[in-house]
Each structure stands twice: as structure tokens, then as C-alpha cells.
Amino acid sequence: MAIRNDPSALRWLIGHELRSARVLARRTQTEAAKLLGCTGVKINYMETGRNQQQPEEITALLGFYEADADVAERLTSLAARADQGTWWASFADALPGWFRTFVGLEGLARGAFSYQTMALDGQLQTREYAAALLVDSVRISRAQAGQVVRGRMARQRLDDEANPLRYHAVVEESVLDRTVGGPEVMVPQLHRLLALMDRDNVTLQVMPTAVAVHDGLEGPFKLLDFAEARSIGYIEYRDGAIYVQDLDSIEVYNLVAERLCERALSDTDSADALPAPLAARCGGSRGVAAGHHRPPRGAARHRQPPPPPGRGGG
């Protein structure tokens, strides 16, 4: 699939960059408005992505903020794509308003880090696992469930050969032990994880239950990494989400992600650990061998080292 454009997400990213550059330059919105000959409200709308930012305005503001020339080049390039269509329009009705920004940003990201404690991340789910999570849901009706699942499958980019997402996840061991939808759903889901772990762009680590105390106990989170913008953090709750944009806060989440990776099993050891829950559901090791063949323990696995979690461009 080609690069996934989303005008609202692009405006959001550009605004995020403009605000970060202004804060680093210690300039106020009032000073920026005076430069452009507009109101402070317009500057606020530009920084929050409510208004489409024009290339000449971006160039003027970044010059005023004494940002590097390559920053202006990157942002004007993003602005040129902000008038294209939204790739997820066909299932927009199944996306709550607060979630649409994330779907757009996820489609634009070149890399992602995810720490999950209760269920597998949407990028990892099979269709049947996703559907099982929605059975008797408080938020999503039975009539909406099918469209939600189709949208979740459309978001997945881990095995997209044209534009694969570089993905690193740490998953709590209890997530793998939770038999979502019964063995008939969970066994194919675990086989799907094993298949994804063989890809160069995917790193999946299991956090053993035996590691009782670690930096992830405060809850799940995601980091999105962009080629043309700074990284952001994403924390979802029942009816909304928080976007972490402050540079110092992002550094803290980067550190937490790195420490989680250090405490979790390595990707190879995590792959070796998956046959245990598979065998428990299959009634023996035959079910594992029939579905997926792993390289011998200790054999070389040719993969590119994953990028540091959440390290963005710019």
C-alpha cells in the first residue's frame, strides 16, 4: 500500500512541530502573530492543526524561530500533502472522533513502539481475535463490530511490503495466557505472532510475569516515530486519549521503553516462549509444530536491529 495520507493528521503533525520550534525559540504566540500580521487565535489554530498551514507561513515562522533549514523543508513538504484524501474514509463511521487523529498519525508513522498489558495491540491482531475482543462490548454495538474489525485490519502495516511499519512491542506474558475467543481463536493468533516475529521490521518481546516490578506498571502506552517530524506519545483510556508532545516528557517515555526492553525476554527467547501457551491450548506440542517452524535455538536470525523506541526525525 502507498503512503497513507490524512489531512487532519498532517495538520496536527505540522502544528506540533511549529509549537515545539516556537517553545525552543522562547517566542510567544503574540510575537508569532505580529510576524504574520494575524491574530493570536490563528497561531493557536495553526499549532493545534485546526487550520491548514500554508508553506509560506511555515517558512516565515521557522525563520523567525531560527530553526534549521531542513526543518522548514520537511514541514513544507508535509503541508503540500495536506490537501489529499483521507485513506480511512471508507470506515470513518466506525471510528470515534477522538481516535481518528491517532489512526491518521499511525498511518503516517515510519516506526512505533507499543507496551501492552491487557490485550494485543491492533497491529498484531488476527481478524478473529479482534472480533472476539468486541463481543458484548459496552462501547461498540454488535451492528458496528464488523466495520470496526475491518478498519482495524486495514490499519495493519507490519506485513505491507510497500510501506511496512518498523514495529517494536513489549507484551506482558499474561496477555498471551488470556484465551481470547477460546483456543480456536487464540491458537491462530499465537501462530500469527510467530510469523510476524520472523520479519525484519518486527520485534516482539515478552515481559515475564516473574518480573514483578518494572517501569511499565503505570500502564500501557505507544510511541510513534516519523520521518519528517518529532516523535509523539499516545496513552489511551476508555473514552479518549492523551497525546504526549512535550520534548522532556517524550524523553522520559523513551527511557521507559528502553528499560522495558532491557527487562523483557529477548526477541529470540520470546519466540521460544510462545510454544508453551500454544501447546497448552493444542493439548501438546503437535499443534505447535503443525502451524509454524522456528529456527533451531541459537541459530542466526537475520534481522536489522530495531531503532531506539520512539526516536523521531528532526
Side-chain angles (χ1 to χ4, degrees):
M1 178 179 287
I3 294 175
R4 303 182 179 195
N5 282 307
D6 180 338
S8 62
L10 285 167
R11 292 196 304 268
W12 193 97
L13 267 186
I14 294 168
H16 166 52
E17 289 287 297
L18 289 175
R19 181 185 181 279
S20 296
R22 179 178 58 78
V23 171
L24 284 173
R26 299 183 182 275
R27 296 290 190 177
T28 66
Q29 288 187 341
T30 300
E31 291 173 319
K34 184 177 181 181
L35 174 75
L36 295 187
C38 66
T39 66
V41 172
K42 176 176 178 176
I43 298 297
N44 182 61
Y45 282 6
M46 290 176 66
E47 292 185 351
T48 56
R50 292 185 62 177
N51 283 358
Q52 183 168 345
Q53 305 93 341
Q54 300 302 318
E56 61 273 14
E57 295 173 332
I58 294 172
T59 301
L61 287 172
L62 292 177
F64 182 54
Y65 302 151
E66 299 182 346
D68 292 340
D70 68 308
V71 177
E73 184 177 345
R74 288 190 288 106
L75 294 193
T76 53
S77 174
L78 287 177
R81 292 161 47 193
D83 60 353
Q84 300 178 15
T86 299
W87 73 269
W88 47 261
S90 60
F91 52 88
D93 291 345
L95 300 175
W98 58 266
F99 190 56
R100 293 177 182 179
T101 298
F102 174 77
V103 172
L105 293 170
E106 182 186 53
L108 296 170
R110 70 175 178 182
F113 174 86
S114 174
Y115 168 64
Q116 298 299 317
T117 62
M118 302 302 293
L120 292 170
D121 181 50
Q123 288 287 335
L124 299 170
Q125 295 174 13
T126 64
R127 184 178 301 273
E128 293 74 19
Y129 182 97
L133 289 175
L134 301 179
V135 172
D136 201 27
S137 170
V138 172
R139 292 192 297 175
I140 299 169
S141 69
R142 185 175 300 178
Q144 293 176 309
Q147 183 76 334
V148 171
V149 171
R150 285 190 290 273
R152 192 167 298 176
M153 296 301 101
R155 286 169 43 207
Q156 293 182 348
R157 288 172 47 209
L158 301 189
D159 49 9
D160 181 350
E161 298 301 334
N163 184 30
L165 182 69
R166 296 171 64 186
Y167 183 83
H168 195 146
V170 174
V171 178
E172 287 290 336
E173 184 179 15
S174 58
V175 172
L176 305 178
D177 291 334
R178 179 171 290 109
T179 311
V180 174
E184 63 275 14
V185 170
M186 201 62 195
V187 169
Q189 175 64 77
L190 293 174
H191 283 309
R192 165 72 172 163
L193 296 183
L194 284 167
L196 288 173
M197 292 169 77
D198 280 336
R199 296 187 59 86
D200 289 342
N201 61 303
V202 177
T203 300
L204 176 61
Q205 295 181 251
V206 175
M207 180 66 75
T209 305
V211 181
V213 178
H214 56 71
D215 292 290
L217 295 183
E218 294 183 6
F221 66 94
K222 297 179 183 180
L223 295 168
L224 295 180
D225 176 28
F226 303 93
E228 299 169 302
R230 293 178 176 85
S231 300
I232 63 167
Y234 176 80
I235 303 168
E236 188 173 313
Y237 53 93
R238 184 172 295 275
D239 292 310
I242 297 170
Y243 291 91
V244 181
Q245 304 176 59
D246 178 75
L247 296 178
D248 290 338
S249 296
I250 288 294
E251 284 302 309
V252 172
Y253 276 93
N254 284 333
L255 178 60
V256 170
E258 291 168 5
R259 287 167 61 92
L260 287 172
C261 293
E262 291 170 358
R263 300 297 303 277
L265 297 176
S266 69
D267 58 339
T268 301
D269 288 343
S270 295
D272 290 342
L274 280 179
L278 265 172
R281 290 167 176 82
C282 295
S285 61
R286 286 180 58 194
V288 181
H292 190 83
H293 298 279
R294 297 292 308 168
R297 187 179 181 89
R301 297 181 65 212
H302 300 289
R303 77 160 61 240
Q304 298 173 352
R311 299 295 186 186

